[in-house]
Amino acid sequence: MTTYAALLRGINVGGSKKVPMPELRDVLAGLGHTGIATHLQSGNAVFRSDDEDADALAAALEQALRERFGFAVDCLVRDAAYLAAVADACPFPAAELEGKQLHVTYVDRPLEPGRFADLDAEAFLPEEFRLGDRCVYLYAPDGLGRSKLAVELGRPRHVKGIVATTRNWNTVAKLVELTRD
């Protein structure tokens, strides 16, 4: 059995796409998963499965959510080893920063650096970003809500055609902890 985290994009924000966590746990159980737990209300779930195809697990979860709630929810599924590797590879001094200052945007595929070639990174300092393994690390000293770099990184020319969902460092660390075998 492999332990996974399901990262749902854009639920329970601003009154739209409501997915109550007890119902998310029910959906995951209905898919045959075990050891199910949720974290916060923003679409983080941990589960165990015999299936080793994370993309197939994400697709099945998306379909089950669409059937249950009547709207599409993009999902990423990542195993415990990946989540730990992303945390370990953080290019910023995570231990020295507040959780609201550091974020990871998980994406569904590797990002080619050329996607961000037109971005003048120096214009956004002290905010910074770095590409990782199917993720983007963002240092935003004043938090994500005030980050001009986060807005720029989210523009269609940078994210067109990819599924992306962002978590603050506190959630990144908690997901590593919850998926640790």
Side-chain angles (χ1 to χ4, degrees):
M1 296 279 272
T2 301
T3 302
Y4 293 97
L7 308 172
L8 283 63
R9 181 180 181 278
I11 65 161
N12 301 338
V13 178
S16 65
K17 289 192 173 183
K18 291 286 189 187
V19 177
M21 294 301 98
E23 291 186 52
L24 175 57
R25 291 190 294 270
D26 289 346
V27 167
L28 288 164
L31 291 170
H33 305 313
T34 61
I36 301 163
T38 53
H39 176 64
L40 303 174
Q41 297 297 312
S42 56
N44 305 294
V46 173
F47 64 93
R48 295 181 62 79
S49 176
D50 287 328
D51 194 331
E52 295 185 9
D53 184 343
D55 291 337
L57 290 167
L61 179 56
E62 287 174 351
Q63 179 63 33
L65 290 169
R66 187 177 304 106
E67 290 171 5
R68 176 80 171 248
F69 297 103
F71 52 80
V73 177
D74 289 328
C75 302
L76 298 175
V77 173
R78 298 292 183 254
D79 67 28
Y82 170 84
L83 294 169
V86 165
D88 290 345
C90 182
F92 300 106
E96 300 170 20
L97 300 173
E98 295 177 46
K100 70 175 190 170
Q101 295 178 308
L102 186 57
H103 296 79
V104 175
T105 298
Y106 298 95
V107 296
D108 65 339
R109 67 192 70 169
L111 294 174
E112 56 286 344
R115 210 178 252 276
F116 304 98
D118 69 332
L119 193 149
D120 179 9
E122 288 188 19
F124 295 95
L125 292 173
E127 296 180 37
E128 297 181 61
F129 80 101
R130 301 283 185 280
L131 299 182
D133 176 15
R134 293 176 293 153
C135 71
V136 178
Y137 299 92
L138 173 65
Y139 168 63
D142 294 327
L144 193 63
R146 295 183 176 179
S147 173
K148 292 179 180 174
L149 181 55
V151 171
E152 181 62 29
L153 291 171
R155 293 198 188 281
R157 69 178 171 267
H158 300 304
V159 295
K160 184 178 180 182
I162 64 170
V163 174
T165 187
T166 301
R167 301 297 186 268
N168 71 32
W169 195 257
N170 292 334
T171 300
V172 170
K174 187 65 175 181
L175 290 172
V176 170
E177 176 187 324
L178 290 172
T179 58
R180 189 173 292 132
D181 288 331

